[in-house]
Amino acid sequence: MTEKTGTRPGAAWGILFGGLAVFAAAPVLLLTTGHDAIKPSADSAKELSLAGALLPTLAGILLIHGIPLHAPKLLPEVTDRRGLGRQATALALIAFLWPLALYLVSAAGQQALVRDIWALAKPLVFLALPLILLRALPARDSFRLTWRPRETWQWLAPIPAVLVFGWLYVLGPLAPPLPTSEDYPDPVYLAVGATLTFFTANVLEEVFFRGMLQTRLEALFGRWPGILLSALLFAWLHLPTHGQGSLPLTLGAIVAFQGFFGLFTGYLWSRYRNLWAPIAAHTAMNTLPLLLM
């Protein structure tokens, strides 16, 4: 018997309003505690203003919304809510428990260990393990990722938002100073680090958080609840490595910085269903400043 169901209105509204409340509270927390600038990472010597973190993502979201082209059909109809729910729960647990485990290790004084395994473990945690779990928890609905969108507009429509975001974040008036040769004295180290970052962060994080997790959350709860929840879990990913001092300040900073970026890339994915668009935005944030050094 086919189980045809739509979204759950109660849960969807709860996620929507709860997520919006968290995103509204994060900048307020930073401003009311006198932190109008945040560190892009825990070991960064330079700070990024709160406006410099929010403006590029908000401008990108407005551009995505303003361009009329969008995916004509959001997702295939959900025929197996229970199976899809098991898959989404398994992926969400990975997204929540792995950063929590690393944060506890770091809090125990093992920061060097966290730095060593942070990038190297990502292919196992965010690719191999999810693929194993998705195969072990089958669902009748097909949510396979495609790397080649069928329509030309799916390639062209995201370009303005990605370009404006990249310009504002890297070269705009509120952008942080570009790295210098003193920041990365060894070109070999720089090349290896940039390449590793591209695959483990720019590509792998978008595949997991947008392609795998957000797609299923959207199917279960709707577009914006799915985007909000996946963006919050994406922000949570940075808890072990982007500490700002106290835990409340760290939570506020990762939501205001990585969380709002997750809203932007999540909307890119939801609107155009072209995974290369959020990967390009992620590359503009993580890798482009190094290439312009």
Side-chain angles (χ1 to χ4, degrees):
M1 179 178 178
T2 302
E3 180 187 356
K4 290 187 177 182
T5 57
T7 61
R8 291 181 176 177
W13 283 109
I15 295 171
L16 180 63
F17 286 114
L20 289 174
V22 172
F23 276 100
V28 172
L29 171 66
L30 295 175
L31 290 175
T32 55
T33 56
H35 296 88
D36 58 351
I38 56 180
K39 292 182 179 181
S41 61
D43 56 355
S44 175
K46 301 174 180 177
E47 291 188 332
L48 173 65
S49 69
L50 183 58
L54 298 181
L55 179 62
T57 57
L58 295 177
I61 290 172
L62 289 175
L63 272 174
I64 297 169
H65 183 73
I67 296 175
L69 295 174
H70 59 87
K73 189 174 182 181
L74 183 62
L75 289 170
E77 184 180 6
V78 178
T79 61
D80 183 7
R81 169 172 290 277
R82 182 172 298 177
L84 198 62
R86 286 195 296 263
Q87 290 185 346
T89 300
L91 296 175
L93 285 174
I94 293 174
F96 179 76
L97 293 177
W98 174 247
L100 178 61
L102 290 184
Y103 173 75
L104 295 176
V105 172
S106 179
Q110 300 295 323
Q111 294 88 350
L113 177 61
V114 171
R115 286 195 298 268
D116 290 341
I117 67 175
W118 173 251
L120 296 178
K122 277 185 178 180
L124 297 176
V125 176
F126 292 118
L127 184 61
L129 181 57
L131 291 177
I132 292 172
L133 290 176
L134 292 178
R135 182 175 291 272
L137 300 170
R140 289 192 294 270
D141 304 296
S142 177
F143 288 92
R144 295 181 180 178
L145 292 179
T146 175
W147 290 91
R148 296 183 63 184
R150 298 178 181 179
E151 304 293 337
T152 303
W153 66 262
Q154 290 176 279
W155 293 99
L156 299 178
I159 291 177
V162 173
L163 288 180
V164 168
F165 167 82
W167 178 79
L168 286 173
Y169 182 80
V170 179
L171 300 173
L174 298 177
L178 288 173
T180 65
S181 57
E182 287 76 17
D183 297 320
Y184 297 93
D186 186 352
V188 175
Y189 173 84
L190 174 62
V192 172
T195 303
L196 188 63
T197 297
F198 176 78
F199 286 107
T200 62
N202 307 351
V203 175
L204 192 54
E205 289 177 9
E206 294 305 319
V207 167
F208 177 81
F209 282 95
R210 257 56 75 175
M212 293 184 183
L213 178 59
Q214 180 183 310
T215 302
R216 287 165 174 80
L217 293 176
E218 282 189 63
L220 290 169
F221 302 111
R223 167 176 279 170
W224 277 107
I227 293 174
L228 285 162
L229 189 51
S230 61
L232 287 174
L233 287 170
F234 176 72
W236 178 258
L237 168 68
H238 299 83
L239 176 68
T241 58
H242 289 64
Q244 308 288 320
S246 66
L247 181 58
L249 182 58
T250 296
L251 292 174
I254 60 177
V255 171
F257 188 72
Q258 285 81 14
F260 273 87
F261 175 74
L263 292 181
F264 170 56
T265 54
Y267 197 25
L268 274 174
W269 168 242
S270 180
R271 187 84 167 181
Y272 305 120
R273 297 303 179 202
N274 181 351
L275 201 57
W276 289 109
I279 289 174
H282 213 136
T283 302
M285 182 178 73
N286 280 348
T287 309
L288 186 58
L290 303 180
L291 299 179
L292 293 176
M293 196 177 68

